[in-house]
Structures are given as structure tokens and as C-alpha cells.
Amino acid sequence: MGGGGDGGGSSGVGGFRNPLRNIERALNEAIARSFVGKYFKLEARNSCFTKELRAGLATFLTMAYIITVNANILADSGGTCSMADCSVPVDGTAAPDCMFKPNPGYQNCLATAKSDLMVGTILSAMIGSFAMGVLANLPLGLAPGMGPNAYLAYNIVGFHGSGPIPYRTALAILLVEGCAFIAVSALGLRSKLAKLIPKSVRFACAAGIGLFIAFVGLQVNQGLGLVGPDPATLVTLTACSRTNPETGECIGGKMQSPTFWLGSIGFVIMAYGLMKELKGSMIYGIVFVTFVSWFRGTAVTYFPHSPLGDEKFNYFKKVVDFHKIQTTAGVLSFNGFNRSPVWVALATLFYIDVLATTGTLYTLAEIGGFVNERGNFEGEYMAYIVDGGSTVVAALLGVSPIATYVESSAGIREGGRTGLTAVVVSFCFMLSLFFTPLLSSVPPWAIGPSLVMVGVMMMKVVKEIDWGNVKESAPAFITMILMPLTYSIANGIVGGIGLYVALSLYDQVVRVMKWLGKMKRVVAKEQNQVSASAANAELVSVV
């Protein structure tokens, strides 16, 4: 008989769409009436299963870059690799600096550590996102945060273990920090602690960390290779066709590095995608650069014809493989906790976590319309507990602290309003566990552009700083400039707070002087009144 759909047999597409809509509607209604729908309050929050599914996919696409980016950053610390892993020359012993020079044994250890850190990143993001969805019922994705990972790799442990604190002790610091965050959240002290740091310094912290991360992404070893060392000016423009593998200095051919230009194309792809508000723009740029770098026999290949390149290529060809963590899980150590650098690192990580989590959660809650007239939102208490608990899990897995990702706004804009969105994000992370050969084959020049773009996005907070007020702007500027130039996030925070306190002393001195002047006038007035009373009494006695 006559065709269904919008009218006539020619409307085959419309006829095909209507059954799909009917199936989708029936599915949404069935799930809404089920235990799952009631638990996540789908109807109460004016949402449905398919909307939450799309929101979860959108959030995952925008934050999936962290899988490879975080592993690359943390691998720069060297993890548990040491001089003992270096290849020993036939006619001698391994030199103490073998960790900083091309060494097959140490590079193999780093490759294993990178895969371990990738799996740790995925597992911690999977567990954190699932807990946020089920316990707090909020559409927020969690994963190791940008900023704390850089602080851990380059300040606490240092490049290839050159910092003041060993990797194992750093993980113990993260464990204590996560427990402290749970405690202050449970006691309701989190917001009070966040307010102790001046507002201008709080804003500057985010911008300064962004500059620090971008600086890392521009360097030779960790990213694009646009910036390199120089004996006269400390840093200079490089992107050289040939560099010293030990020092990173340019040997020849400035701005002629093929990997730099390929990475630059990836950055343009990311920027254009973000400009057009395309979901997963960061992923598109990384995927393009990585795909081109996978071809052997080119100037930009990640698999050169060398023993190490052949080993990487053989692992890459597996495509699907489950990598078991070998070196980073459960290796924390409390040795050396009586040293001052440990407590400085603990305090810095704690404050970064408090500031970042508080600001991000409130921002996302406002975007989703969850905040009530009192400034609170449903699930707030459990959200902070989950964040701290996830950091504890991350420390046990060997990765950096967990953070609520602002990229969750992509899912919220797609209509995600319940924790089902976060559960979908968790499921997507779980699927990525089985593609570690592909994920571990992402080259640094594909990661570098994403680090620079993260820096771009983190700089937007500078508009909140009152640049016309020197008391606010000077500490903010010192905070931002010290982080990349001293290669230390802690130095920036300490410098900014120190300058703010110094500038505030003037106001305190003026306030004390005014109070002393007021008290002096009060005392003088009392003395005059006493003198006048005595004179009156004497006059009366005479009369």
C-alpha cells in the first residue's frame, strides 16, 4: 500500500528516519523508567539516554588528548628508570650522565615507562569519571590534570630524575595530597583555603601554568623544537635540521626541521577547529601529525631505520594489545619525607588542586545551570570527595593528580545533565586501554602543538586581573613570568604571594599609623577634659 514517511514512496530517507526516531524515543522512555534512569534522574533533569550518550562522546573527544600528552610529560621525569638501566659499553661502565645522552638501555626503559604511564592515565581517568558519574551524578570527566603533571615531571622529579625528589617519593607526596584534599573537603574547609591566596595570584597561577606548559611544548626534546638552548642568551630560536643529541643545541639549518613544520600544521588544524568550535579539534591535529609520522622512510618518520626505531615499529604493528603496568604502579616510597623540598612540593600541589578543582567545578556547574540561589549545586560535596579519592588512585597507579576537566563543557553544551555522561566518558577510556601500541606511537612533535594550545586556552583568565591596580597586577605578573623562566610552578606562586604581602605591608603600616594617630587624639582629648574638670573644681572651691 502507499509508502510511509513524509508522503509517497519517494520519501525513503524520511521514512527511514521516522523508524529511527521511534526506536530512539522508545529506548529513551524505557531507560528513563528503569532503575538506571531513576538513579541518574534523567527525567528530573530534563535529559534522556541518547542525549547523555552524545554528551559523553563529545566530552571524551575533547579531553582524550590527555592520554598521550600526560604520558609524554610524565615520561620526561624518567619514572623509575635509573643509571642501572643504561646500556653498558663493552670496554667500560655506564657513565653517570647516561640518562641524559642517547642510550639504548635507558631509552628502552623510558619506552616501557611511557606505556605504563599511558595505561595509568587511562585507568585513573576511567575510575575517576565513573565515580563522578555514579556518586556525584554530575556530567563531568576526570583525568590527570595539566599543570600538576608538569610540576611533577619538571620541578619535583626533574628531567630524567635530575630534580630534588625521586619519582617514588613524589608518588607518596601525591598520595598524602589526595588524602589531605579529601579531609578538607569532608570538613568543608576547601573554599576557605582557596580564599587565602590573593585573587590576582589565583588567576595568574592558571595563566602562568599555561605559559609553562606552552614553553615545554616548544622545546626540542618534549615538543615542536622551536625553542632550544643557547650559551649566550640561554634560549633561542632553533627548529634546526640538525641538533646536538646531548645538549639540544642547534648545529645547522635553523627553521629547517621537517618535524617542526609538520607539527605547525597540526597546530593550525587545532586552532582552526577550535575557532569553528569543532568537537575533538585537539585530537584532529594530533591524529594528522601522528598519521603522517607513521610512514617509514620519510624525513618526519617516528620509526627510523635503527634498532630503536625497528623496535618501536614492531610494537606499533600489533595495533591492539593490552599493556600491563610494569614499573609505575604501587612503587611509592615515604623515604626522605623529613626534607623541606617534600613539604614545599606537597603544599604547592595541594593549593594547585584546591584552586583548580574549585574554580573548574563552579564554572562547569554554572554552565550547566546547576547552581542554586545560595551558590551551591547538587552533588557538590561528593564531587570534591571523588576528586580527592581519584588522586589517591592516580598516585597508586603512578600518575599525576586528577582534575575535573573544563572540556566537560563540550558535553554539557550537548545536553549532558547527569552522571550518565561521565559514565560514558569512563567507558570510552576503557576502550582505549586496548590500543596502547597506537597510543604509545604518538611522536613529540604531535604532542607539542597540543601543549601550546593548552597554554593558549589557559591564558584567558588574565582578563580577570585588574591591570590598572599595581598591587594586583605586579604580583600576578611575577607569578606568570617566573613559572616558565625559572622552570618552576612553585617559584611563581611563592614569588607572587611574597610580592603581594610586601605591597600589602604599606597599607597595614598606614592603617596602624592612622590608628595610633586616632588614639593619640583620643588620649589628648581625655587629658584636656580632665584638665578642664580640675580647673572648674578649683574655681568652684575658690568661690
Side-chain angles (χ1 to χ4, degrees), residues 275-315:
M275 186 174 66
K276 297 298 180 181
E277 298 184 352
L278 298 177
K279 297 178 184 66
S281 300
M282 299 276 281
I283 294 296
Y284 299 150
I286 294 174
V287 167
F288 171 79
V289 176
T290 301
F291 180 73
V292 175
S293 301
W294 280 346
F295 290 96
R296 305 196 79 176
T298 67
V300 297
T301 183
Y302 186 59
F303 308 115
H305 292 287
S306 64
L308 184 59
D310 293 338
E311 185 176 344
K312 289 180 179 179
F313 188 67
N314 290 332
Y315 182 59

Side-chain angles (χ1 to χ4, degrees), residues 405-535:
Y405 263 62
V406 73
E407 284 84 352
S408 300
S409 60
I412 293 175
R413 292 191 180 98
E414 283 291 320
R417 290 295 181 272
T418 76
L420 201 54
T421 295
V423 172
V424 173
V425 173
S426 175
F427 180 74
C428 291
F429 273 112
M430 184 186 71
L431 289 180
S432 63
L433 274 173
F434 302 96
F435 296 95
T436 49
L438 298 181
L439 295 173
S440 63
S441 300
V442 178
W445 51 90
I447 302 299
S450 64
L451 297 181
V452 177
M453 187 55 69
V454 168
V456 171
M457 293 187 289
M458 294 180 73
M459 286 298 294
K460 62 184 178 182
V461 296
V462 296
K463 68 178 185 295
E464 305 293 339
I465 300 171
D466 184 6
W467 292 104
N469 183 352
V470 175
K471 183 182 176 182
E472 299 290 327
S473 61
F477 179 77
I478 291 299
T479 300
M480 289 188 292
I481 201 67
L482 283 183
M483 287 186 183
L485 293 188
T486 65
Y487 225 68
S488 171
I489 294 172
N491 287 348
I493 296 175
V494 171
I497 294 176
L499 181 58
Y500 187 89
V501 170
L503 295 178
S504 298
L505 287 177
Y506 173 79
D507 294 334
Q508 297 298 326
V509 171
V510 169
R511 189 175 292 111
V512 170
M513 295 299 293
K514 288 182 178 179
W515 180 81
L516 290 175
K518 182 179 179 180
M519 293 301 297
K520 183 179 180 180
R521 289 193 296 270
V522 170
V523 170
K525 183 177 180 181
E526 292 291 337
Q527 289 176 345
N528 291 336
Q529 289 178 349
V530 170
S531 300
S533 298

